[in-house]
Coordinates of all heavy atoms in Angstrom, one line a residue:
T142 N -36.5 -6.6 -6.9 CA -37.1 -5.4 -6.4 C -36.7 -5.1 -4.9 O -36.7 -6.1 -4.1 CB -38.6 -5.5 -6.5 OG1 -39.0 -5.8 -7.8 CG2 -39.3 -4.2 -6.0
C143 N -36.3 -3.9 -4.7 CA -35.8 -3.5 -3.3 C -36.9 -3.8 -2.3 O -38.0 -3.3 -2.4 CB -35.5 -2.0 -3.3 SG -35.1 -1.4 -1.6
P144 N -36.5 -4.6 -1.2 CA -37.5 -4.9 -0.2 C -38.0 -3.7 0.6 O -39.0 -3.7 1.3 CB -36.8 -5.9 0.7 CG -35.4 -5.7 0.4 CD -35.2 -5.2 -1.0
K145 N -37.2 -2.6 0.6 CA -37.4 -1.5 1.4 C -38.3 -0.5 0.7 O -39.4 -0.1 1.2 CB -36.1 -0.8 1.8 CG -36.2 0.4 2.7 CD -36.2 0.1 4.1 CE -36.3 1.4 5.0 NZ -35.0 2.1 5.0
C146 N -37.9 0.0 -0.5 CA -38.6 1.1 -1.2 C -39.3 0.6 -2.4 O -40.1 1.4 -3.0 CB -37.6 2.2 -1.5 SG -36.5 1.8 -2.9
G147 N -39.1 -0.6 -2.9 CA -39.9 -1.1 -4.0 C -39.3 -0.7 -5.3 O -40.0 -1.0 -6.4
T148 N -38.1 -0.1 -5.4 CA -37.5 0.2 -6.7 C -37.2 -1.2 -7.4 O -36.6 -2.0 -6.8 CB -36.3 1.0 -6.5 OG1 -36.7 2.2 -5.8 CG2 -35.7 1.4 -7.9
E149 N -37.5 -1.3 -8.7 CA -37.2 -2.5 -9.4 C -35.8 -2.5 -9.9 O -35.1 -1.5 -10.0 CB -38.2 -2.6 -10.6 CG -39.6 -2.9 -10.1 CD -40.6 -2.9 -11.3 OE1 -40.1 -3.0 -12.5 OE2 -41.8 -2.9 -11.0
Q151 N -32.8 -3.9 -8.9 CA -31.7 -3.6 -8.0 C -30.9 -4.8 -7.8 O -31.3 -5.9 -7.8 CB -32.3 -3.1 -6.7 CG -33.0 -1.8 -6.8 CD -32.2 -0.7 -7.5 OE1 -31.1 -0.4 -7.1 NE2 -32.8 -0.1 -8.6
V155 N -27.2 -3.9 -2.6 CA -27.6 -2.6 -2.2 C -28.6 -2.0 -3.2 O -28.5 -2.2 -4.4 CB -26.4 -1.7 -2.0 CG1 -25.6 -1.6 -3.3 CG2 -26.7 -0.3 -1.5
C156 N -29.5 -1.2 -2.7 CA -30.5 -0.5 -3.5 C -29.9 0.8 -4.0 O -29.5 1.6 -3.1 CB -31.8 -0.3 -2.8 SG -33.0 0.8 -3.7
E157 N -29.8 1.1 -5.3 CA -29.3 2.3 -5.8 C -30.2 3.5 -5.5 O -29.7 4.6 -5.4 CB -29.1 2.2 -7.3 CG -28.0 1.2 -7.8 CD -26.6 1.7 -7.4 OE1 -26.3 2.9 -7.7 OE2 -25.9 0.9 -6.8
S158 N -31.4 3.2 -5.2 CA -32.4 4.3 -5.0 C -32.4 4.7 -3.5 O -32.1 5.9 -3.2 CB -33.7 3.8 -5.5 OG -34.7 4.9 -5.2
C159 N -32.6 3.8 -2.6 CA -32.7 4.2 -1.2 C -31.5 3.8 -0.4 O -31.4 4.1 0.8 CB -34.0 3.6 -0.6 SG -33.9 1.8 -0.3
K160 N -30.5 3.2 -1.1 CA -29.2 2.9 -0.5 C -29.3 1.9 0.6 O -28.3 1.7 1.4 CB -28.5 4.2 0.1 CG -28.5 5.4 -0.9 CD -27.7 5.1 -2.1 CE -27.8 6.3 -3.1 NZ -27.4 5.9 -4.4
T161 N -30.4 1.2 0.8 CA -30.5 0.2 1.8 C -29.6 -1.0 1.4 O -29.5 -1.4 0.2 CB -31.9 -0.3 1.9 OG1 -32.8 0.8 2.3 CG2 -32.1 -1.5 2.9
Y163 N -28.8 -5.1 1.9 CA -29.5 -6.3 2.3 C -28.8 -7.6 1.7 O -27.8 -7.5 1.0 CB -31.0 -6.2 1.8 CG -31.1 -5.6 0.4 CD1 -30.6 -6.3 -0.7 CD2 -31.6 -4.4 0.2 CE1 -30.7 -5.8 -2.0 CE2 -31.7 -3.8 -1.1 CZ -31.2 -4.5 -2.1 OH -31.2 -4.0 -3.4
Ligands
ZN701 ZN1 -34.7 0.8 -2.1

Side-chain angles (χ1 to χ4, degrees):
T142 303
C143 170
K145 176 91 179 286
C146 73
T148 304
E149 290 176 11
Q151 297 304 308
V155 60
C156 169
E157 291 292 309
S158 175
C159 73
K160 313 298 177 193
T161 300
Y163 39 69

